[in-house]
Amino acid sequence: MIIENETILIVDYGSQYTQLIARKIREQNVYCLVHPYNKIGSKILKNKNLSGIILSGGPNSVKDKKSPKLDKKILGLKIPILGICYGLQLLCKEFNGKIGQSSSREYGHSLINCINQSQLFKGVKKNSQVWMSHGDHIEKAPNGFVVTSFSNKNIISSIQNKKKMIYGLQFHPEVYHSLDGNKILSNFLSKICKISSYFKLDDFLSNKIYDYKKKLNNKKVICGVSGGVDSTVTSFLLHKAIKNNLYCIFVDHGLLRFKESNEVVTIFKKKFGKNFKRVDASNIFLSKLKKIKDPEKKRKIIGKTFIEIFEKEAKKIKNVQYLAQGTLYPDIIESIPFFGGPTAKIKSHHNVGGLPKKMNLKIVEPLKELFKDEVRILGKKLKISSDLLNRHPFPGPGLAIRIPGEIDRKKIDILKRVDNHFINYLKKRNIYKKIWQAFAILLPVKSVGVMGDERTYSYSIAIRAVTSVDGMTADFYMFSKEDLTEISKQIISNVKEVNRVLYDFTSKPPGTIEWE
């Protein structure tokens, strides 16, 4: 890929926050790429548009002989470098500073006291709240480096060597709890890297359409669509470029939300006409999921079955050469472990790298450089309905991972109705747009209740609603007591199979947004 914008390279040393660093940089309209520390090729380092490098945090100790190392070719580029947490400690070790091991890990909120002038802290409060997460710390800064701040525990929290353009932070500026974190990153980009060429989505869209018109001229492309934001924007963008050479296949696994299958058919039939096909495969998916309880097995079965059915339908279209996928940049970053990267794997993504080789199709991924909110902005430019673009994220495996334990058609039907009442209430109260993701979970638990003076023994439901910018971190949404009361009342009154509603008060981390 040719990068025309000035670019920041983020070297990933295994931090769960690495993607968040990228997201924060994109928020400032600066283009960036994430690469594992052991996958940085000379092609990347020789890129003339490379304007700065950020070394991420990570779970290892630099004192461990087997821990990830700093690629010394990075230092030879003579461009600005910012080390964060583990990245700072790598720089300190490289320049012969002294690293100590704390008796207790410094984790959570902390205050830093800025003691020396630094371009990084321009406009930052002298005493600023930050987020710490480290075991090792700097006991002595390397020669030529100046300590620019201490934490309230008197630990060195930042250093710099202005001449070498190397800066280091012991805390995480990318995390929400670092109140001046955005300002610090902005200072690195504008004042130190001197970024002047900004990443514009208008240019991205026009360039993509132009490129695909040339690359895919008179070539047939198939695209799997689900009605979700990613696949919809992918298909609409490609249609702009190649018109009737795009064929869209909707594999309906029967695990979508209430009446969502019909909505998908309506939208895509109108846009693509005879080039759109729906395949009702709900019976196939349900039979393969029978008696399966493990969530990772569910994901893999659904992913494998989807590919098998999609492949069968794709073969019916003659002379197809390309497959389009709605892969986003977070999908690629989170799936790096499949390719030998350092970040810990939380759960598998069946939409990355899952194409069988025997299909012999080339992949087209128009959105693979973008984050979710950038895709929504792109969708608006393509004149896609705002109701669809603003729909909450929905997992590929659908309701299968919102029903812990075994799945059957009855449970799916119950959950669809519950979820529908929950979401409709949020929309009616104008709360829906304030929430990143809201959904219900059908628990494998029944409890005793009383309805109309009669004993009931029915399902329990958990409801979840979180606020977030990009899904990497999230806080639970704080409903009022009146809202929770009304939501519970509407669900229990309208879905007779349910007699108890619970609310999930868990943030991410430590939890994930989805339960499975």
Side-chain angles (χ1 to χ4, degrees):
M1 181 183 66
I2 298 171
I3 304 162
E4 295 177 353
N5 299 90
E6 291 180 74
T7 301
I8 298 295
L9 171 65
I10 301 168
V11 181
D12 182 17
Y13 287 98
S15 172
Q16 295 295 341
Y17 297 137
T18 298
Q19 189 182 134
L20 196 52
I21 300 171
R23 188 63 210 95
K24 291 294 182 182
I25 291 172
R26 286 288 185 85
E27 280 177 12
Q28 303 195 36
N29 296 318
V30 174
Y31 193 79
C32 61
L33 293 170
V34 177
H35 279 274
Y37 73 95
N38 55 350
K39 300 284 182 181
I40 301 170
S42 58
K43 186 177 179 182
I44 295 168
L45 297 179
K46 287 179 181 177
N47 191 304
K48 60 182 174 62
N49 294 308
L50 202 57
S51 300
I53 293 174
I54 295 178
L55 310 178
S56 85
N60 301 93
S61 167
V62 294
K63 298 171 76 68
D64 185 345
K65 289 181 181 179
K66 295 182 179 178
S67 62
K69 302 296 188 288
L70 179 68
D71 187 336
K72 294 186 181 181
K73 290 195 291 289
I74 287 172
L75 301 175
L77 297 175
K78 296 182 180 178
I79 60 175
I81 297 173
L82 173 64
I84 296 175
C85 201
Y86 183 83
L88 159 71
Q89 292 157 17
L90 276 176
L91 291 168
C92 187
K93 184 181 178 184
E94 177 64 30
F95 290 98
N96 300 313
K98 188 177 179 183
I99 305 289
Q101 206 157 21
S102 305
S103 55
S104 62
R105 185 178 179 86
E106 191 174 24
Y107 182 81
H109 297 91
S110 184
L111 287 175
I112 61 165
N113 180 28
C114 301
I115 60 166
N116 278 309
Q117 195 174 28
S118 173
Q119 286 178 300
L120 270 185
F121 297 142
K122 192 83 173 172
V124 172
K125 294 176 185 174
K126 188 176 180 183
N127 292 292
S128 184
Q129 178 186 297
V130 298
W131 184 261
M132 295 282 191
S133 178
H134 64 95
D136 295 346
H137 65 275
I138 299 174
E139 288 186 350
K140 181 179 177 295
N143 291 334
F145 283 75
V146 175
V147 176
T148 53
S149 70
F150 283 94
S151 75
N152 54 354
K153 291 188 177 181
N154 208 34
I155 291 174
I156 294 172
S157 52
S158 61
I159 62 173
Q160 70 176 29
N161 184 318
K162 196 172 180 181
K163 187 177 179 181
K164 291 182 182 291
M165 296 185 290
I166 296 176
Y167 300 77
L169 303 172
Q170 185 60 81
F171 56 90
H172 289 272
E174 71 274 19
V175 174
Y176 171 78
H177 305 288
S178 292
L179 299 185
D180 291 310
N182 283 345
K183 184 63 181 170
I184 291 168
L185 289 173
S186 173
N187 286 339
F188 178 69
L189 300 172
S190 61
K191 298 184 185 306
I192 297 169
C193 297
K194 302 190 185 302
I195 298 285
S196 59
S197 169
Y198 291 93
F199 179 59
K200 298 181 178 69
L201 279 172
D202 280 327
D203 295 339
F204 177 89
L205 180 58
S206 57
N207 287 342
K208 283 288 179 185
I209 293 170
Y210 176 77
D211 287 346
Y212 285 132
K213 273 182 179 176
K214 288 177 65 179
K215 180 181 177 181
L216 304 175
N217 184 35
N218 294 323
K219 295 180 176 72
K220 290 184 179 179
V221 180
I222 53 170
C223 179
V225 296
S226 64
V229 175
D230 308 337
S231 62
T232 303
V233 174
T234 296
S235 61
F236 275 55
L237 188 156
L238 284 172
H239 188 257
K240 275 269 189 188
I242 63 173
K243 304 299 181 186
N244 291 334
N245 280 326
L246 176 68
Y247 296 80
C248 293
I249 299 172
F250 169 41
V251 177
D252 185 358
H253 51 30
L255 298 163
L256 295 179
R257 290 168 283 204
F258 189 74
K259 292 186 177 179
E260 198 167 34
S261 291
N262 293 338
E263 291 174 15
V264 173
V265 171
T266 302
I267 291 168
F268 285 92
K269 201 76 177 170
K270 182 180 178 182
K271 180 72 177 178
F272 302 106
K274 64 180 182 179
N275 279 22
F276 168 75
K277 183 173 183 182
R278 175 195 179 223
V279 183
D280 185 356
S282 56
N283 289 334
I284 298 170
F285 279 91
L286 281 174
S287 65
K288 293 199 174 188
L289 289 167
K290 194 173 183 180
K291 296 185 179 179
I292 302 297
K293 296 180 180 180
D294 181 78
E296 193 64 8
K297 285 183 179 177
K298 288 181 192 176
R299 286 177 176 272
K300 287 179 178 176
I301 288 169
I302 291 168
K304 186 172 181 289
T305 306
F306 172 86
I307 289 168
E308 288 171 356
I309 295 168
F310 186 87
E311 180 185 10
K312 184 180 177 182
E313 290 302 318
K315 284 181 177 176
K316 296 176 184 178
I317 304 168
K318 302 299 181 186
N319 302 318
V320 172
Q321 292 177 255
Y322 289 86
L323 170 72
Q325 290 184 327
T327 309
L328 304 191
Y329 201 41
D331 297 330
I332 292 170
I333 298 172
E334 289 186 2
S335 298
I336 281 172
F338 291 115
F339 310 109
T343 308
K345 176 181 167 184
I346 305 299
K347 58 191 177 187
S348 63
H349 284 262
H350 68 258
N351 57 332
V352 178
L355 181 70
K357 290 179 181 177
K358 61 182 177 179
M359 279 188 76
N360 198 29
L361 296 178
K362 297 171 187 174
I363 299 288
V364 176
E365 295 171 308
L367 312 178
K368 68 179 180 180
E369 298 100 336
L370 303 182
F371 286 84
K372 177 70 85 172
D373 55 331
E374 292 173 321
V375 172
R376 287 196 171 109
I377 295 168
L378 210 62
K380 191 174 180 182
K381 294 179 185 300
L382 289 164
K383 298 182 179 178
I384 297 170
S385 159
S386 59
D387 287 343
L388 192 153
L389 290 175
N390 295 322
R391 184 180 286 173
H392 290 175
F394 190 67
L399 300 180
I401 57 169
R402 293 179 180 174
I403 303 174
E406 293 183 32
I407 301 167
D408 59 40
R409 202 175 288 277
K410 182 183 175 184
K411 289 180 180 178
I412 294 167
D413 176 64
I414 294 169
L415 185 56
K416 281 184 178 184
R417 287 182 282 130
V418 168
D419 192 77
N420 186 50
H421 285 291
F422 180 30
I423 298 303
N424 281 345
Y425 179 83
L426 299 182
K427 289 178 177 178
K428 184 179 176 183
R429 288 275 290 113
N430 293 320
I431 300 172
Y432 185 81
K433 290 182 181 179
K434 297 178 183 178
I435 294 169
W436 166 266
Q437 198 168 354
F439 55 93
I441 306 100
L442 180 65
L443 301 178
V445 174
K446 287 188 175 183
S447 66
V448 174
V450 179
M451 294 181 73
D453 295 328
E454 292 184 4
R455 176 188 183 275
T456 61
Y457 187 61
S458 305
Y459 282 106
S460 298
I461 285 285
I463 56 173
R464 181 138 169 80
V466 298
T467 57
S468 180
V469 174
D470 51 22
M472 283 302 296
T473 59
D475 287 325
F476 59 85
Y477 180 79
M478 184 58 79
F479 285 109
S480 67
K481 182 179 184 296
E482 290 74 19
D483 280 326
L484 285 173
T485 301
E486 189 59 31
I487 290 165
S488 176
K489 180 182 173 183
Q490 287 206 18
I491 290 171
I492 292 171
S493 299
N494 289 287
V495 185
K496 64 180 182 180
E497 297 91 342
V498 173
N499 69 356
R500 193 175 298 271
V501 177
L502 314 173
Y503 186 56
D504 183 351
F505 286 94
T506 313
S507 296
K508 176 188 178 180
T512 53
I513 294 178
E514 295 287 348
W515 276 38
E516 292 194 337

